[in-house]
Amino acid sequence: MDLLGFVIAIVKALIVLVLMLSTIPILVWSERKLSAWMQDRVGPNRVGPAGLLQPLADVVKFLFKEEVMPQGAEKWLFVAAPVLTLVPALLAFAAIPIGDPIHLFGREVTLQLANVNVGILFVFAVGSLGAYGIVFGAWASNNKFSLLGGLRAAAQLVSYEVSLGLSIVGVLMLTGSLRLGDVVDAQAGTFFGFVPRWNLFAQPIGFLIFTVAAFAETNRAPFDLAEAEQELVAGYHTEYSSMKFALFFMAEYAHMITVSALLTCLFLGGWKVPGLEHIGLGPFLFGVVQTLAFAMKAGFVLFFFQWVRWTLPRFRYDQLMTLGWKVFFPLGVANVMLTGVLLLGSR
Amino acid sequence: MNEYLSVLVFLLLATLVGAALLVLSHYLGPRRRGGIKGTPVESGVDPIGDARIPFNVRFYLVGILFIVFDVEAVFLYVWAVIYKQYLNRGAFLLGEMALFIGILLFGYVYAWKKGALDWD
């Protein structure tokens, strides 16, 4: 490997990290503003214009807060758990592309950190590692609420992992590749000349299962049973304070970003905008518009996450398990067979 | 391998950021120990017994079901990726997969009837 390739790898890693870490505060702010708006409140409005700098002030506050180590805690595990949760959440984004490859310094540079041929598996595999951090943190805390929250989180994550995995088999059958760039490329163009060729329309059942499972996988309401505050104080992070709590918090938002970007790639056509190639933009502008389109689609999915959180009440735990195992699992299997039959019929 | 090198760089950077934040807050925050501050939260009551209590065996059951059915989903991936490519032999491929899923659904129905999927 040459020096330039190495430099590009490092620069890309830095860009993705900065991108993720700077999107998280914006999400925190928008979540607070949105919830305030939906509940007829004002929300943060003191720090900076429209409270935009509030997350920054929060970070400073977290840094200067006291760390409390509960008695009887597993010290190393307790300290390591927040990092073990945050790192996979950030890392999962590595395989997600945000635009067509561009030409820089006489070589092709993909707009993603790692253009691996098993991209979808990479995102799933690395993303699920975050469960370890949650369970370790819960166990290490020496707290009954934490333990129960961690158990709930683990059981919920593995239950919906199955549905999540099944929901995209239909997409893979249509694409024939696990590389996320190929999945997006297969969604270029339109059906019947006016409906975008997105998997949202080709795989509606898969889309439904994936979306619901994504809420469960990110521990977001209405599936936030792992931290159901009325029952479990704060669930797995009850004993965490100062920056350690903030890392758990950041991990949740990092997961949301990754899942939204993945959803955009798999079902919303990624950066493809139907009819854009007919407008006659230059190659540079074309790429910029595509990446902006990707950001807008992923941004809408993020908004949808927050919208749902402040609209729907929480599930009961038995309802959550019943929905995952008795509804979405059979539905996912049926979707695979249905896609197979339809593909065979369309031959 | 080129691609995984960037992943490794990213992994190191992300770990560094996480660790740096922890170290910073460790030195910047105040440390006032003592009293009952260190007791685990139990809604204002003194903690009773060990926090690592035995928990419901159903969590274990969910773990086993997950292994069975998630591995199945991964097997489906391999098949799904080549399905369109060999569509001229699609009926055979689909039949084989129907057999595989059929055997699996048999186990699924068994687990359902045994009450392994119920939660209360």
Side-chain angles (χ1 to χ4, degrees):
Chain A
M1 149 171 250
D2 58 314
L3 188 67
L4 186 60
F6 189 66
V7 170
I8 288 178
I10 291 181
V11 169
K12 275 207 266 188
L14 272 174
I15 290 176
V16 174
L17 191 67
V18 169
L19 205 69
M20 293 285 277
L21 290 179
S22 56
T23 313
I24 291 169
I26 299 172
L27 270 182
V28 174
W29 174 82
S30 77
E31 173 117 55
R32 292 183 64 177
K33 272 293 187 193
L34 260 174
S35 65
W37 177 59
M38 287 183 189
Q39 297 168 348
D40 206 11
R41 294 183 284 117
V42 182
N45 66 343
R46 294 289 145 154
V47 193
L52 255 174
L53 296 178
Q54 183 67 46
L56 200 70
D58 285 344
V59 169
V60 174
K61 185 187 77 178
F62 277 130
L63 275 176
F64 284 94
K65 282 285 178 182
E66 179 177 3
E67 295 175 308
V68 178
M69 176 77 71
Q71 281 162 11
E74 301 278 343
K75 285 198 176 57
W76 280 105
L77 221 49
F78 186 79
V79 175
V83 183
L84 283 177
T85 315
L86 177 68
V87 170
L90 292 172
L91 196 62
F93 196 84
I96 294 179
I98 60 167
D100 277 330
I102 53 169
H103 292 276
L104 261 184
F105 313 119
R107 66 169 67 198
E108 200 179 66
V109 179
T110 49
L111 288 187
Q112 85 195 90
L113 193 57
N115 185 19
V116 290
N117 55 358
V118 289
I120 297 172
L121 280 180
F122 179 90
V123 177
F124 280 179
V126 175
S128 325
L129 286 179
Y132 283 110
I134 290 177
V135 174
F136 286 170
W139 176 261
S141 293
N142 191 30
N143 182 312
K144 296 186 185 86
F145 295 116
S146 300
L147 183 71
L148 290 174
L151 278 173
R152 278 188 180 189
Q156 173 181 337
L157 286 173
V158 299
S159 293
Y160 278 84
E161 191 84 29
V162 177
S163 311
L164 197 72
L166 275 174
S167 68
I168 62 153
V169 174
V171 173
L172 297 181
M173 289 165 79
L174 292 179
T175 312
S177 171
L178 280 165
R179 201 185 285 273
L180 277 162
D182 293 345
V183 176
V184 172
D185 285 339
Q187 298 176 67
T190 51
F191 294 117
F192 319 118
F194 62 95
V195 181
R197 200 179 191 82
W198 297 349
N199 284 329
L200 164 63
F201 304 110
Q203 283 285 325
I205 303 175
F207 174 74
L208 176 76
I209 301 172
F210 186 92
T211 313
V212 176
F215 277 96
E217 286 293 306
T218 47
N219 275 328
R220 292 282 299 185
F223 298 104
D224 58 343
L225 284 106
E227 42 188 299
E229 60 268 24
Q230 292 90 341
E231 308 159 30
L232 292 178
V233 187
Y236 58 89
H237 54 60
T238 301
E239 289 293 343
Y240 279 92
S241 59
S242 103
M243 208 63 213
K244 293 203 205 75
F245 166 74
L247 291 188
F248 275 124
F249 200 64
M250 285 159 70
E252 179 182 325
Y253 283 93
H255 265 303
M256 268 173 70
I257 297 171
T258 308
V259 164
S260 307
L262 189 64
L263 187 84
T264 310
C265 276
L266 289 174
F267 292 100
L268 301 181
W271 53 86
K272 297 289 178 194
V273 182
L276 188 66
E277 59 276 6
H278 300 309
I279 297 177
L281 298 168
F284 176 73
L285 210 58
F286 188 71
V288 170
V289 171
Q290 280 192 326
T291 302
L292 275 181
F294 184 88
M296 278 174 68
K297 285 177 193 177
F300 179 77
V301 178
L302 284 168
F303 164 72
F304 182 71
F305 264 91
Q306 302 180 339
W307 185 10
V308 167
R309 173 168 176 187
W310 300 102
T311 308
L312 296 180
R314 185 180 297 126
F315 276 92
R316 236 172 36 222
Y317 204 73
D318 60 322
Q319 292 171 332
L320 169 100
M321 284 311 201
T322 307
L323 188 69
W325 285 106
K326 291 189 177 173
V327 179
F328 281 138
F329 178 74
L331 201 62
V333 173
N335 185 41
V336 172
M337 292 316 281
L338 183 71
T339 312
V341 172
L342 286 181
L343 267 177
L344 204 60
S346 71
R347 177 166 52 122
Chain B
M1 272 352 265
N2 227 335
E3 303 294 340
Y4 287 101
L5 183 85
S6 358
V7 173
L8 188 69
V9 172
F10 190 57
L11 175 68
L12 291 176
L13 278 175
T15 316
L16 201 71
V17 167
L21 284 173
L22 281 190
V23 169
L24 262 181
S25 83
H26 182 75
Y27 285 107
L28 289 178
R31 253 173 289 180
R32 285 185 282 271
R33 290 282 148 79
I36 53 167
K37 196 183 243 177
T39 30
V41 177
E42 208 150 309
S43 305
V45 188
D46 283 342
I48 301 166
D50 193 3
R52 279 109 191 196
I53 41 176
F55 47 82
N56 201 324
V57 73
R58 287 188 187 283
F59 287 108
Y60 180 69
L61 205 58
V62 167
I64 290 184
L65 287 174
F66 161 72
I67 291 176
V68 175
F69 291 112
D70 205 45
V71 169
E72 179 230 356
V74 175
F75 276 138
L76 281 178
Y77 282 16
V78 187
W79 171 82
V81 168
I82 60 142
Y83 183 68
K84 209 174 178 182
Q85 201 181 334
Y86 295 99
L87 208 56
N88 52 348
R89 282 192 282 165
F92 173 67
L93 279 179
L94 194 64
E96 271 193 320
M97 192 35 79
L99 193 67
F100 177 69
I101 290 181
I103 294 170
L104 215 110
L105 281 186
F106 184 73
Y108 176 72
V109 170
Y110 177 77
W112 189 324
K113 287 275 175 254
K114 276 283 177 185
L117 306 178
D118 296 326
W119 196 278
D120 46 31

